[in-house]
Amino acid sequence: MLKLYGYWRSSAAYRVRVALNHKGLDAELVSVHLVKDGGEQHQAEYAKLNPQELVPALIDIDNKEEGEEAFVLSQSLAIIEYLDEKFPENALLPQDLHEKAIVRSMAMSIACEVHPLNNLKVLQYLSKELALDDEAKSAWYHHWIDEGFSAFEKQLVKYSGRYCFGDSITLADLCLIPQVYNANRFNVDLSPYPNIVRIVDNCNRLDAFIDAAPENQADAG
Amino acid sequence: MLKLYGYWRSSAAYRVRVALNHKGLDAELVSVHLVKDGGEQHQAEYAKLNPQELVPALIDIDNKEEGEEAFVLSQSLAIIEYLDEKFPENALLPQDLHEKAIVRSMAMSIACEVHPLNNLKVLQYLSKELALDDEAKSAWYHHWIDEGFSAFEKQLVKYSGRYCFGDSITLADLCLIPQVYNANRFNVDLSPYPNIVRIVDNCNRLDAFIDAAPENQADAG
């Protein structure tokens, strides 16, 4: 049995929700409210579970033996690779060594270059510590999105089919779609990125993505 | 034959250099000066090779067939996983599914949470676009290091042996050591993180780490 600690608007949790859906895995979804009361992720109970005080975190209960602690895993990409190895059906990475490497590289170009600069804790720092106004925060947000999406668009020209890499859903799609959802919240003009727009449209027709979308979560509000 | 485009002070290139050394792989190292002339990574020739305009990038020439383009890969963690799969000797990830997942999670807690906020392009944005003074930039740097290292230290209490995960060098060490090198440049007090200090000391006795250190690179200056 799997338990996923997440939050409806967290891009990283959104990635894992798509992975679970795509692979047809049941998981209990537990909401950790990232804003209420200074953020439930910082409360003692959750911090003990995940010392990084971030969502998502996955618990794989099956791994627990009598008297043993359950297996807890943080970091969305590590969680998805774990799920993909443990439950190989509907693989999210190609078998071929070179293809797999390219998919990982595309995923990380979002997960290591764009998302870390534009997530909640960074935007909070910009407001609270640097006292940036909305215009300066928006410029920051757009800068990193534009830089990341420009590079990603070039990769799509080379590698995309119906989805980011060829015609199967991969880890790269799981990173792109939540980042675009996030970009839309910040009114990013996506017209310079026709392949991104096309692929997001293709993915968002699939149940795995629809059911994982923030607005369709029980804790959305 | 392998060719690695990097820069002596790039933490991400440093990770890949350790991987190559640890696995005993020869690679031609090509320097891309990240500062000179506005950054050689933005020049047309390199941007064509790696549209992300970042280092490192790996070229695996062996994969090139007559008339084919050579295989080019960006993103340090994708490069290291590729090398580890293609050249399994001296593995950088454990075989066990759960152990492998934890190592990836530890590596990503540096590569997705700390490094992206404190690398050159971000510090340049803080100076040029936000006109932060040295004190405010230092506070930014220290904030993300302290947050990341506090969480990492807790993981080490649980999982470390001689190195980050047990007694073998893993991907987690390859991420930690360059980040600590970087933190030392910014005069971060590491005394709250005794396990980090201990493991860095253990790693830095090994030739794989010594030979990959920034100051020992041909382009150091």
Side-chain angles (χ1 to χ4, degrees), chain B residues 8-208:
Chain B
W8 64 293
R9 260 185 174 163
S10 155
S11 301
Y14 186 176
R15 295 172 192 156
V16 180
R17 290 196 302 263
V18 179
L20 290 166
N21 294 345
H22 179 74
K23 299 181 90 63
L25 298 171
D26 276 331
E28 182 189 344
L29 302 183
V30 183
S31 177
V32 180
H33 200 296
L34 297 189
V35 183
K36 203 169 62 184
D37 304 329
E40 290 179 354
Q41 73 277 25
H42 302 306
Q43 290 174 9
E45 195 185 355
Y46 187 75
K48 195 179 162 197
L49 189 79
N50 180 7
Q52 289 180 42
E53 303 179 20
L54 296 170
V55 294
L58 181 85
I59 302 192
D60 189 346
I61 316 272
D62 289 344
N63 194 50
K64 190 178 182 309
E65 289 176 26
E66 193 67 33
E68 248 189 18
E69 281 183 31
F71 178 66
V72 184
L73 187 59
S74 60
Q75 288 297 324
S76 62
L77 265 55
I79 292 172
I80 295 167
E81 293 246 11
Y82 170 74
L83 293 172
D84 210 38
E85 291 180 351
K86 181 158 180 179
F87 308 100
E89 212 169 327
N90 297 326
L92 288 161
L93 288 168
Q95 285 289 311
D96 176 82
L97 212 65
H98 299 101
E99 294 184 359
K100 193 197 295 189
I102 295 294
V103 168
R104 281 195 181 120
S105 172
M106 292 175 82
M108 286 169 182
S109 75
I110 303 274
C112 302
E113 306 296 339
V114 181
H115 177 68
L117 292 162
N118 286 345
N119 62 17
L120 180 68
K121 63 181 179 172
V122 172
L123 298 177
Q124 284 176 337
Y125 190 100
L126 297 179
S127 297
K128 290 180 189 167
E129 305 297 329
L130 300 184
L132 293 199
D133 59 20
D134 284 350
E135 194 184 341
K137 274 202 297 179
S138 176
W140 166 279
Y141 189 93
H142 282 73
H143 175 82
W144 302 115
I145 283 280
D146 284 337
E147 188 185 86
F149 279 9
S150 297
F152 202 87
E153 180 72 14
K154 287 177 194 154
Q155 296 282 77
L156 291 180
V157 169
K158 196 164 175 184
Y159 296 114
S160 72
R162 183 163 176 79
Y163 305 115
C164 282
F165 189 88
D167 295 320
S168 300
I169 293 294
T170 63
L171 184 61
D173 302 294
L174 273 52
C175 290
L176 178 63
I177 276 59
Q179 190 64 63
V180 169
Y181 168 85
N182 208 309
N184 282 329
R185 284 180 61 203
F186 285 82
N187 303 311
V188 172
D189 173 16
L190 295 173
S191 62
Y193 317 114
N195 283 287
I196 290 180
V197 170
R198 176 178 63 80
I199 284 158
V200 169
D201 191 48
N202 289 340
C203 287
N204 279 336
R205 291 164 197 235
L206 304 175
D207 285 343

Side-chain angles (χ1 to χ4, degrees), chain A residues 3-17 29-35 39-43 46-47 49-58 72-77 79 115 119-121 219, chain B residues 105 112-113:
Chain A
K3 196 188 261 198
L4 179 69
Y5 290 80
Y7 181 61
W8 64 294
R9 261 187 174 163
S10 155
S11 301
Y14 186 176
R15 295 172 192 156
V16 180
R17 291 197 300 265
L29 302 183
V30 184
S31 177
V32 180
H33 201 296
L34 297 189
V35 183
E40 291 179 354
Q41 73 278 22
H42 303 305
Q43 290 174 8
Y46 187 75
L49 189 79
N50 181 6
Q52 289 180 41
E53 301 178 23
L54 296 171
V55 294
L58 182 86
V72 184
L73 187 60
S74 60
Q75 288 296 324
S76 61
L77 265 53
I79 293 171
H115 176 67
N119 61 17
L120 180 66
K121 63 181 179 171
D219 59 342
Chain B
S105 172
C112 302
E113 306 296 339

